[in-house]
Amino acid sequence: MNKDESISVIVRTVANLLFCFIIVYGLYIIMHGHLSPGGGFQGGVIIAASAALLFVAYGYKFADEKYSEKGFTFLKSAGALAFTGLAFAGIGIAFFYNIFWHEQIVLYGPPGTLFSAGIIPFMNFAVGTKVLAGIVIGVFTLGLFQMAKGETDGDGREEGGGGAEE
Amino acid sequence: MIWPLDIILLCFLVLLSLITAFSRDLLAATVAFSIYSLVLAIVFAQLNAPDVALTEAAVGAGITGLLFVVAITRTTRWEED
């Protein structure tokens, strides 16, 4: 794999095709987290895998343009804050009290249906947001940090070709 | 649980882990590790643990393999003594 080019047109086409489907599948896993196997963590990892697939398919320059560390850090913190805030929502009775279901505010359908379980789907979405942002930050920071180091060092991993981008 | 399928999958797991451990080509080791994670996910799903299987397939085969590929791209592909 070259440093400033993407892999090939085959990988790029397949990544373009699969990107939307992976995201929809991850959203499905998160949304049905209280009914079926999976949940916030698994769905978040699957969505992060789609972002990482784009990173591999389109190369470092694309990732450097599109990736914003501030945005993903904001997402990560928002997920954690939403989870804690939802846990504190029923603090009048107990910590993690499912106030949305017991007080019949929102999502108070019968158990076993999609629109049931009160705060649990919201907590799944919060966990999914946090996991997605954390893994995307991990992967992209690793790749982009190594690229920046190669640029400043000048030689990188091979003697001839590295570091002569800009 | 179908035990012949389990035995075949477990033998395949041992083979793949040996390839991962002893391969000189780190990219081939990474690919073998990803296949190992996928087969292990099938084993988990077969043992009625679909939650663990989903996590194993997403993290083991997706994120870990991708991180290893990125690390190999930044360093070197062949292991040296």
Side-chain angles (χ1 to χ4, degrees):
Chain A
M1 183 158 41
N2 210 348
K3 184 174 268 189
D4 49 350
E5 282 179 10
S6 51
I7 299 178
S8 75
V9 76
I10 299 172
V11 178
R12 246 179 295 157
T13 311
V14 174
N16 279 339
L17 269 176
L18 281 182
F19 179 64
C20 311
F21 291 106
I22 294 175
I23 284 185
V24 168
Y25 181 60
L27 284 177
Y28 163 79
I29 295 273
I30 297 178
M31 195 186 284
H32 290 251
H34 56 293
L35 299 175
S36 60
F41 181 82
Q42 284 89 347
V45 169
I46 288 170
I47 297 177
S50 76
L53 176 70
L54 283 191
F55 177 69
V56 165
Y58 278 89
Y60 296 91
K61 212 170 254 182
F62 174 81
D64 204 15
E65 280 175 12
K66 300 290 181 191
Y67 170 67
S68 103
E69 190 173 350
K70 259 182 194 158
F72 278 105
T73 308
F74 172 77
L75 266 184
K76 188 159 70 93
S77 312
L81 268 180
F83 187 84
T84 318
L86 283 166
F88 272 109
I91 196 65
I93 295 138
F95 195 50
F96 280 105
Y97 182 68
N98 197 343
I99 195 168
F100 287 179
W101 196 77
H102 287 289
E103 304 292 327
Q104 307 212 328
I105 298 174
V106 69
L107 299 187
Y108 52 86
T113 58
L114 180 58
F115 297 106
S116 65
I119 63 171
I120 297 176
F122 295 109
M123 281 182 157
N124 272 333
F125 271 105
V127 172
T129 311
K130 178 157 175 52
V131 169
L132 148 75
I135 290 180
V136 166
I137 286 174
V139 173
F140 278 55
T141 304
L142 180 67
L144 296 176
F145 168 73
Q146 294 285 8
M147 186 196 74
K149 195 181 172 192
E151 271 183 2
T152 52
D153 279 353
D155 54 353
R157 71 204 139 88
E158 45 193 40
E159 296 298 325
E165 270 181 80
E166 286 168 355
Chain B
M1 185 161 42
I2 320 158
W3 65 268
L5 178 63
D6 264 357
I7 288 179
I8 292 171
L9 286 179
L10 289 175
C11 292
F12 201 44
L13 276 184
V14 172
L15 183 69
L16 281 171
S17 56
L18 286 178
I19 292 175
T20 307
F22 290 111
S23 173
R24 291 274 165 197
D25 189 352
L26 295 178
L27 197 61
T30 305
V31 171
F33 181 72
S34 288
I35 303 170
Y36 172 86
S37 294
L38 212 59
V39 175
L40 192 59
I42 296 173
V43 171
F44 280 144
Q46 237 249 322
L47 296 174
N48 290 327
D51 213 350
V52 188
L54 210 56
T55 311
E56 180 68 37
V59 177
I63 299 296
T64 312
L66 208 136
L67 274 177
F68 282 154
V69 168
V70 170
I72 286 170
T73 318
R74 297 293 94 203
T75 54
T76 175
R77 181 176 165 178
W78 299 94
E79 186 181 358
E80 297 154 6
D81 286 330

